[in-house]
Amino acid sequence: MTVTSASPQNTGLMRTLSVLRDVVSRPSGAIGLFLVVFHVVLALVSPWIVPYDYKAMNSAMMLTGPEATHWLGTDHLGRDVFTRVLLGGREALLVTGIATPIAVTWGGFVGILFGLIGGRIDEVLMRVVDAFLSLPWILKMLVLIVTFGTGIEVLIPTLAFFYGIPVIRIARAATHDVVARDFVSAARARGHSRMTIIRHELLPNVLDTLMVEGAMRWSWMLLAFSSLSFLGFGVSPPTPDWGLMIADARGFMSFAPWGVLGPVIAVSSLIIGINLTADALAKALGIDRAQKAPV
Amino acid sequence: MTGPLIDIRNISVGFTGKSSATLPVLRNIDLKVNAGESIGIVGESGSGKSTLALAAMGYLKSGLRLMEGSVAFQGQDMFARTRTELEQIRGGELALIPQNSGQSLTPTLRIGAQLVEALRLHADVPEAQYSAKAIELLGQVRLPDPAAIMTRFPHELSGGQQQRAAIGMALAGEPTALLLDEPTTGLDVTTQAHILELLRDIARDRGMAMVYVSHDLGAIARVCDRVVVMYAGEVVLEGSTRQVLKTPIHPYARGLLASIPRLSDPRLPVALDGRPPAPGGAGQGCSFIDRCALAQDGCRTSRPDLERLPSGEAVRCFHYQEAHQLSLTGSGAIPASLDGASPSALHLDYLAISYRRPGLYDKVLGRDSAGVPTVDGIEITVAKGETLGLVGESGSGKSTILKAIAGLLPPSGGKITVAGGQALAPEVEHRSPDHLRKIQLIFQNPDDSLNPRQTIAQILEQPLKLYFGLTGDALHQRSAEILDRVRLGAHYLDRLPSQLSGGEKQRVAIARAFAAEPDLVLCDEVTSALDVSVQAAVLDLLNDLKATQGTTYVFVSHDLAVVRALSDRVAVLYQGRLCELGPSADVYAMPSHPYTEVLLGAVLEPDPDTAPTLSADDVVELSPPAQGCPFQRRCPRKIGRICDTDTPPWQQGVKDHTIKCHHSIADLAAAQAEGAAGQRA
């Protein structure tokens, strides 16, 4: 056991740093984190580095294959696919980047609360959650989107709401493990309020699980967003978006596969990157039940 | 075969640490076990005793590796054998009985099936006789109705029965040597005493060698011929049980013995301060130097060798000839005690607690499902400044009572009143801030009662903010003061619980309770997760705080000697009912209730000259009887029907000594005297 001394503010920071170092030291973490950072940076800077205007159509060059001037060829309207792939993640990252923290926050809070309350109320509410989860997500979301429209202002709350529900389950399960421990009983016996117990005793111990869960939810949400766009309920044309691009190009897939391949590789690499990072994070935080150090 | 059965030569075992240096867990250990011999390995947690026992099987936990030396069983190197050979030996000739048999038995297989498997793999018995042989083995480990036990699943057996079944499995391969890793830790005193007698008898009858690993010197004294004392991965003392326990010549062994509370000694045990070095942390010199009273400059620069003496002992100390200067018994303080009458600090008025609540079906059917309450009829008054000890075996309801007082478990009947006659609200949520502050609870295991994500400062600040509204500098200063009161420096404030040793963590938990400036502190097995040497320090601290703060304690423990060391009065519980209540000195000098007699008789002293008295059988009862005396089913002095039907009355003894029995105290004393005379005759 190493005994290090640090001020209280530093203890948290030091742990974050050491976890980060651990994540990067694992192959899955290094590759995953690289992919995620790569995509995020690209989404931020792409408007300034793209070679063409994403709207610029060219009737003379429709569905041409990859070549020196158009690295990934052109689509059925003669637009540069490479440009559109570079820009196509911006909406997805923006929407999911805002919706994921909201989902984890509200789902986490409700889950911790259920876990703390326990007993029959918790059982009944969890059965409601189960019933809700048993419905296909796409149906539930389509109902809301068809009712309220497809703008960002509808997509973000919709995704955040639906993706917060599975977080409830995870947060509740993690809380159940913590609630049974004596330090929570000690806080109860001292007479702390429920909110204090959640904030000081439960949240710090559930946070690790929530972070990993958040990363997983993010990748699912990206998939959902792309699916919605694919179905025409996400981003409206002509704004480039991976899901939409795949939908547009799939008709020509047999003779112009580059139109599909570009966005598919982009969205897959981002999702794989997030999953690999989540995996490494779980291992670094010790949530994953892998081998631990001896003694 | 000539030569020792197990021959461990100069082994060192280590693991690769963070800095990629190899850190030793065992250092240059020699150990020989002859056929039929029983050897005890003692030491504190982390001393490497379990690692050594497992190494004798040729097994190392993952991450550990053999750095040097050899281990031979029946003359052949265990680490050079093939996997198939090892599988043959392990569980066959050389069997292991682990600490927690409940976990080592397969939960989904019946006991019979597990025994048959052990027989198929290791025994030389025709298949048709497996089941008869299995029943025979269960009979040998003295399980009642072996044929019925065969069809049970492990969870249907009590802890003691599981341990017996595990011993039965180990015997299936007719082992010549048995390795036991803390086999009775976690069992009740009476059960432990019975298991140890069983092991003694089996080893003697079969001429089997035993390697008995334990931190409990009482158990070692009972079963072992020779004892090896380990410290920081080294053997520091080896000798016959009598030599090691009666006249130990190593300072560590003497310190360890002095730190054990004894039933026969009302004084507090002496703490062995400090902690052993972490693996790789021992310097060039003696590893015990930081805690040794005899240490001199020479001890720091060179490491003493294990010196073999003509007396048959081996000792690793330069100054062993002076070791006899160190006291072996508690020269510690006499516990602070109460003088004169004092107002009541806590009164339990016919407290009853029931875990089971009426379910939906019971309500619909109008059934009275609460049944027999887990705890019932507890009537005790605790005077201000007094320490009341609550003792009993697991399931006696002692922790349940503490939880009820703390408001974590609302009672189903009766009342709890505090000083001034105010009744406490049953649930903690409805108690006044003043009541909340005045009653504090300290838990058994500090690993569980301290939030691993909070620094010590954050942990201590919680009660200070809640009860006194302190902030800023005042808060920080007060935290440091409180930490100082439990003899920890202010530099601990910034640490996380994981950076502290077990004893330090428990001190922080105590500090947190005392931060509230409580009137009443409830201690729930506060020392049972700690090493003996640390336990003494915690007891000493609690005693000090009581003297300076005038705190009232309710002290729960299954360890009768620990309770004796701290309590003014003691209450003995069985199945959630009071059996005996009186001043500690009287109860321990003259245990009157038949249950108290059984309980105290089963306590093992770290002294080879004492033997436990085993009167009642070690049946574990799962629920109290619906009427009559709670001890009716096990009582060796049962009168007859009256015990089954009528709740026993309180019988008055001298002073405040009372028991709840149909016998009078005088009758019981006469019966005990007669029994003792009968044994002598």
Side-chain angles (χ1 to χ4, degrees):
Chain A
M1 185 172 45
T2 49
V3 177
T4 47
S5 87
S7 76
Q9 299 79 28
N10 277 344
T11 325
L13 184 67
M14 275 175 43
R15 179 159 185 272
T16 314
L17 282 177
S18 92
V19 165
L20 200 64
R21 221 174 292 137
D22 192 330
V23 168
V24 176
S25 74
R26 295 168 192 275
S28 67
I31 296 170
L33 210 56
F34 169 76
L35 285 172
V36 174
V37 171
F38 177 74
H39 271 288
V40 170
V41 169
L42 218 55
L44 289 173
V45 303
S46 53
W48 291 278
I49 60 164
V50 286
Y52 296 92
D53 179 2
Y54 69 89
K55 292 193 295 279
M57 293 184 258
N58 186 347
S59 53
M61 286 192 72
M62 288 191 297
L63 299 172
T64 50
E67 49 174 281
T69 48
H70 295 283
W71 290 359
L72 288 178
T74 59
D75 67 2
H76 63 293
L77 297 175
R79 297 175 294 193
D80 179 43
V81 173
F82 183 61
T83 301
R84 294 179 63 83
V85 167
L86 283 182
L87 293 168
R90 284 171 61 83
E91 292 280 312
L93 280 168
L94 177 70
V95 170
T96 57
I98 297 172
T100 305
I102 299 175
V104 174
T105 308
W106 89 262
F109 179 77
V110 172
I112 293 175
L113 196 63
F114 281 13
L116 178 61
I117 294 170
R120 200 161 294 169
I121 303 172
D122 167 51
E123 274 311 317
V124 170
L125 288 173
M126 282 319 289
R127 295 298 81 79
V128 174
V129 167
D130 286 345
F132 200 84
L133 285 174
S134 66
L135 294 169
W137 59 269
I138 196 105
L139 275 183
K140 295 179 285 194
M141 266 194 276
L142 285 180
V143 169
L144 277 186
I145 289 164
V146 167
T147 317
F148 296 108
T150 57
I152 282 187
E153 70 285 354
V154 175
L155 279 173
I156 291 178
T158 307
L159 285 168
F161 174 70
F162 287 109
Y163 280 81
I165 290 171
V167 179
I168 297 179
R169 287 189 64 89
I170 302 290
R172 172 185 171 267
T175 308
H176 266 289
D177 291 346
V178 184
V179 161
R181 298 185 59 185
D182 282 342
F183 59 82
V184 179
S185 302
R188 273 187 63 208
R190 277 199 302 273
H192 283 296
S193 68
R194 238 172 218 167
M195 282 315 293
T196 316
I197 293 179
I198 289 181
R199 211 171 56 233
H200 288 301
E201 310 292 343
L202 300 178
L203 187 60
N205 288 287
V206 176
L207 204 58
D208 290 354
T209 312
L210 281 182
M211 298 230 302
V212 174
E213 181 60 16
M216 299 303 289
R217 285 300 132 203
W218 187 21
S219 75
W220 283 104
M221 210 187 269
L222 269 167
L223 207 59
F225 182 86
S226 299
S227 307
L228 286 173
S229 292
F230 180 83
L231 294 175
F233 295 102
V235 179
S236 357
T239 312
D241 178 84
W242 295 329
L244 198 58
M245 288 167 72
I246 296 169
D248 286 346
R250 78 191 151 131
F252 320 105
M253 208 157 72
S254 52
F255 55 92
W258 50 86
V260 174
L261 224 52
V264 161
I265 290 171
V267 75
S268 317
S269 63
L270 177 53
I271 287 173
I272 289 170
I274 294 173
N275 278 315
L276 286 175
T277 314
D279 244 28
L281 187 63
K283 286 196 178 107
L285 292 169
I287 300 173
D288 180 281
R289 288 177 202 280
Q291 279 196 345
K292 296 226 172 91
V295 187
Chain B
M1 188 193 68
T2 53
L5 190 63
I6 299 173
D7 191 359
I8 296 176
R9 279 182 199 211
N10 193 34
I11 63 163
S12 295
V13 169
F15 67 96
T16 310
K18 276 201 172 145
S19 56
S20 70
T22 302
L23 306 175
V25 178
L26 295 179
R27 294 197 287 166
N28 308 96
I29 298 213
D30 282 300
L31 183 68
K32 287 177 182 46
V33 184
N34 295 315
E37 190 183 35
S38 166
I39 287 201
I41 303 178
V42 294
E44 292 176 275
S45 48
S47 61
K49 54 189 190 302
S50 294
T51 308
L52 176 60
L54 290 175
M57 293 188 99
Y59 177 80
L60 295 174
K61 275 187 237 166
S62 76
L64 293 179
R65 66 197 163 75
L66 187 69
M67 290 151 67
E68 58 178 318
S70 66
V71 174
F73 177 67
Q74 293 176 332
Q76 283 191 36
D77 191 350
M78 289 297 273
F79 283 97
R81 294 197 194 202
T82 63
R83 205 188 161 88
T84 342
E85 282 175 333
L86 283 174
E87 276 168 7
Q88 274 295 314
I89 298 168
R90 293 179 187 161
E93 291 270 304
L94 185 59
L96 173 78
I97 295 175
Q99 175 169 357
N100 194 337
S101 299
Q103 279 174 21
S104 64
L105 295 171
T106 310
T108 51
L109 278 183
R110 293 176 200 275
I111 299 293
Q114 303 193 38
L115 268 165
V116 166
E117 189 185 9
L119 287 167
R120 197 179 62 238
L121 289 173
H122 297 295
D124 198 13
V125 183
E127 194 168 343
Q129 288 171 28
Y130 281 168
S131 132
K133 179 77 185 163
I135 292 178
E136 188 192 321
L137 283 170
L138 290 178
Q140 281 172 1
V141 293
R142 296 181 206 149
L143 275 166
D145 198 358
I149 297 275
M150 292 276 286
T151 63
R152 303 271 180 85
F153 286 103
H155 71 268
E156 295 175 300
L157 306 183
S158 70
Q161 288 173 326
Q162 288 172 347
Q163 195 57 279
R164 281 167 196 261
I167 296 172
M169 270 175 77
L171 296 179
E174 304 274 332
T176 48
L178 209 51
L179 301 174
L180 304 109
D181 190 2
E182 303 265 11
T184 61
T185 308
L187 297 178
D188 279 325
V189 240
T190 49
T191 313
Q192 161 172 326
H194 279 275
I195 297 269
L196 291 177
E197 292 314 297
L198 173 70
L199 287 171
R200 252 168 89 96
D201 294 348
I202 287 176
R204 198 185 46 221
D205 296 347
R206 297 179 170 234
M208 206 168 53
M210 287 205 285
V211 177
Y212 192 102
V213 176
S214 181
H215 70 281
D216 182 350
L217 290 169
I220 296 269
R222 198 64 200 132
V223 293
C224 298
D225 310 321
R226 267 201 307 145
V227 179
V228 171
V229 181
M230 291 193 62
Y231 186 80
E234 291 178 320
V235 171
V236 292
L237 179 64
E238 187 183 334
S240 73
T241 305
R242 185 166 300 275
Q243 286 167 335
V244 171
L245 296 182
K246 290 283 212 186
T247 53
I249 51 172
H250 192 280
Y252 172 63
R254 292 194 86 88
L256 200 58
L257 276 161
S259 68
I260 300 174
R262 315 264 178 140
L263 274 185
S264 49
D265 192 345
R267 287 174 302 183
L268 282 173
V270 193
L272 186 58
D273 287 329
R275 60 204 255 197
Q284 290 182 326
C286 173
S287 52
F288 186 59
I289 183 159
D290 293 332
R291 304 169 82 181
C292 185
L294 298 178
Q296 289 173 17
D297 288 346
C299 302
R300 196 166 295 280
T301 46
S302 58
R303 179 177 166 215
D305 287 326
L306 193 66
E307 193 176 335
R308 306 247 163 217
L309 306 180
S311 59
E313 293 159 283
V315 62
R316 194 186 286 280
C317 180
F318 292 124
H319 306 290
Y320 69 86
Q321 275 147 337
E322 293 147 45
H324 64 271
Q325 299 165 359
L326 302 171
S327 170
L328 260 187
T329 50
S331 61
I334 305 273
S337 88
L338 201 62
D339 42 330
S342 181
S344 149
L346 174 77
H347 179 63
L348 306 178
D349 191 6
Y350 288 97
L351 193 68
I353 304 156
S354 187
Y355 272 104
R356 210 174 144 214
R357 309 209 169 256
L360 183 64
Y361 289 116
D362 303 312
K363 277 185 191 155
V364 171
L365 298 172
R367 277 199 306 230
D368 175 25
S369 74
V372 188
T374 315
V375 169
D376 200 10
I378 303 298
E379 207 201 356
I380 306 176
T381 307
V382 189
K384 196 171 178 326
E386 184 184 46
T387 301
L388 174 77
L390 287 182
V391 295
E393 292 172 291
S394 54
S396 64
K398 48 197 192 307
S399 294
T400 307
I401 293 173
L402 280 200
K403 281 195 187 129
I405 302 173
L408 294 172
L409 193 70
S412 54
K415 259 193 331 207
I416 305 168
T417 45
V418 286
Q422 290 170 301
L424 277 180
E427 280 118 8
V428 73
E429 284 81 9
H430 301 141
R431 291 188 178 172
S432 70
D434 193 45
H435 281 162
L436 288 170
R437 180 184 68 75
K438 282 181 174 165
I439 300 177
Q440 293 292 320
L441 179 60
I442 307 172
F443 293 86
Q444 171 170 3
N445 190 344
D447 286 324
D448 214 40
S449 68
L450 302 181
N451 191 333
R453 290 274 182 272
Q454 292 177 347
T455 60
I456 305 307
Q458 287 169 326
I459 288 169
L460 295 177
E461 281 165 9
Q462 296 227 12
L464 294 174
K465 281 187 200 159
L466 180 70
Y467 298 129
F468 306 107
L470 293 182
T471 47
D473 281 349
L475 183 64
H476 186 82
Q477 198 181 341
R478 188 82 189 112
S479 308
E481 274 171 37
I482 290 163
L483 213 48
D484 182 57
R485 227 195 273 163
V486 296
R487 301 166 200 163
L488 292 175
H491 57 282
Y492 280 92
L493 283 173
D494 299 331
R495 295 194 187 164
L496 288 170
S498 57
Q499 295 165 332
L500 269 57
S501 74
E504 289 170 340
K505 277 184 246 185
Q506 195 59 295
R507 283 175 199 218
V508 171
I510 293 171
R512 177 175 65 181
F514 276 89
E517 292 170 27
D519 290 348
L520 175 65
V521 174
L522 311 169
C523 304
D524 190 2
E525 300 268 11
V526 289
T527 60
S528 43
L530 305 174
D531 272 317
V532 210
S533 66
V534 178
Q535 163 176 294
V538 168
L539 291 177
D540 192 47
L541 173 68
L542 286 172
N543 188 49
D544 250 24
L545 288 169
K546 172 185 168 182
T548 53
Q549 319 277 314
T551 322
T552 310
Y553 287 125
V554 177
F555 191 90
V556 160
S557 179
H558 69 280
D559 187 330
L560 293 135
V562 167
V563 170
R564 152 125 224 192
L566 213 62
S567 307
D568 301 306
R569 274 200 309 153
V570 60
V572 183
L573 290 163
Y574 185 74
Q575 291 288 326
R577 275 99 181 126
L578 277 173
C579 290
E580 184 156 359
L581 178 64
S584 308
D586 296 337
V587 173
Y588 281 89
M590 205 174 59
S592 299
H593 193 282
Y595 175 61
T596 318
E597 190 193 342
V598 167
L599 198 61
L600 282 169
V603 173
L604 300 162
E605 293 266 353
D607 181 344
D609 295 333
T610 61
T613 339
L614 301 177
S615 25
D617 47 350
D618 63 334
V619 182
V620 172
E621 298 188 76
L622 294 176
S623 64
Q627 52 179 1
C629 172
F631 196 50
Q632 54 178 269
R633 290 178 285 213
R634 285 174 67 189
C635 184
R637 303 198 190 281
K638 188 170 170 178
I639 301 174
R641 259 188 62 78
I642 187 170
C643 299
D644 298 336
T645 53
D646 292 11
T647 307
W650 280 110
Q651 304 271 6
Q652 195 68 33
V654 273
K655 285 194 286 183
D656 301 332
H657 190 181
T658 54
I659 63 166
K660 234 180 166 181
C661 185
H662 290 291
H663 288 292
S664 73
I665 288 191
D667 288 353
L668 287 166
Q672 285 176 21
E674 204 174 291
Q679 267 185 350
R680 273 197 300 274

